[in-house]
Amino acid sequence: MHLVDVTLFFAPHSGGVKRYLLAKRSWFSAQPKHRHTLLVPGARDRVREPGLVELGGFPQLRVNGGYRVPLRVDRWSRVLRELAPDVIEAADPYHLAWVALGVADRLGIPAVAFAHSDLARLFADRFAPAIGRAAGRYLRQLYNRFDCVLAPSRLIAERL
């Protein structure tokens, strides 16, 4: 089995999602019948190490961590198809999640989402309750399209 993870949340100084993905990668490295690939934004196109693929050419956000936002989703779709996964997991609910769904549908394979945080509550607290409700509707629409949605805690699972 070949699992490919895609996420925006993988940057030089990022936090929990990156730690989770690196721990998962470590676990998979000891599984002889399974393969794991991370497809993440980077400064340039490169295979940083076997199974860690960076796609470059994206602007770096002016926020902590050095995050990059891929604008050319057609490149992501092409590379994801070329990796020939058996399962795709999206680790954030933004545009790469939609790319993962499209490629999974095209390849006829399962798509999994990992809801790492309560984004609707975060938006409600930071901006306004109405924005939180809109985020909640968006997340329901997105996550209902996945074959499986994972959560890091019982609290997040209950909120989903």
Side-chain angles (χ1 to χ4, degrees), residues 115 118 150-160:
D118 186 349
L150 306 172
S153 69
R154 186 173 306 240
L155 175 66
I156 299 297
E158 288 170 359
R159 293 281 297 151
L160 290 170

Side-chain angles (χ1 to χ4, degrees), residues 42-48 53-58 75 78-79:
R44 63 184 187 285
D45 289 355
R46 67 178 176 157
V47 176
R48 213 165 85 185
V53 179
E54 292 181 348
L55 288 184
F58 310 114
R75 288 184 60 222
R78 180 181 49 79
V79 171

Side-chain angles (χ1 to χ4, degrees), residues 115-132:
H116 288 275
S117 65
D118 186 349
L119 193 62
R121 179 164 286 174
L122 175 72
F123 281 13
D125 292 346
R126 284 236 173 115
F127 304 110
I131 293 174

Side-chain angles (χ1 to χ4, degrees), residues 18-30:
K18 181 179 180 180
R19 278 193 303 278
Y20 159 74
L21 290 171
L22 291 175
K24 182 180 188 180
R25 184 172 158 65
S26 175
W27 184 86
F28 266 97
S29 70

Side-chain angles (χ1 to χ4, degrees), residues 22-159:
L22 291 175
K24 182 180 188 180
R25 184 172 158 65
S26 175
W27 184 86
F28 266 97
S29 70
Q31 309 304 312
K33 294 182 181 181
H34 303 295
R35 189 164 55 117
H36 182 241
T37 302
L38 291 172
L39 183 59
V40 299
R44 63 184 187 285
D45 289 355
R46 67 178 176 157
V47 176
R48 213 165 85 185
E49 56 189 67
L52 179 50
V53 179
E54 292 181 348
L55 288 184
F58 310 114
Q60 188 170 357
L61 294 178
R62 298 207 183 274
V63 296
N64 292 337
Y67 292 97
R68 295 179 179 276
V69 177
L71 302 175
R72 298 269 323 271
V73 294
D74 58 319
R75 288 184 60 222
W76 279 76
S77 181
R78 180 181 49 79
V79 171
L80 193 50
R81 286 191 315 271
E82 290 170 357
L83 288 169
D86 296 301
V87 178
I88 301 170
E89 182 175 319
D92 63 72
Y94 305 110
H95 59 301
L96 293 184
W98 294 98
V99 171
L101 283 167
V103 171
D105 186 54
R106 185 170 177 181
L107 296 178
I109 62 171
V112 176
F114 197 122
H116 288 275
S117 65
D118 186 349
L119 193 62
R121 179 164 286 174
L122 175 72
F123 281 13
D125 292 346
R126 284 236 173 115
F127 304 110
I131 293 174
R133 288 190 298 277
R137 286 189 299 275
Y138 166 77
L139 293 170
R140 278 189 298 283
Q141 178 187 17
L142 173 66
Y143 289 147
N144 281 334
R145 295 172 184 259
F146 280 89
D147 296 292
C148 179
V149 179
L150 306 172
S153 69
R154 186 173 306 240
L155 175 66
I156 299 297
E158 288 170 359
R159 293 281 297 151

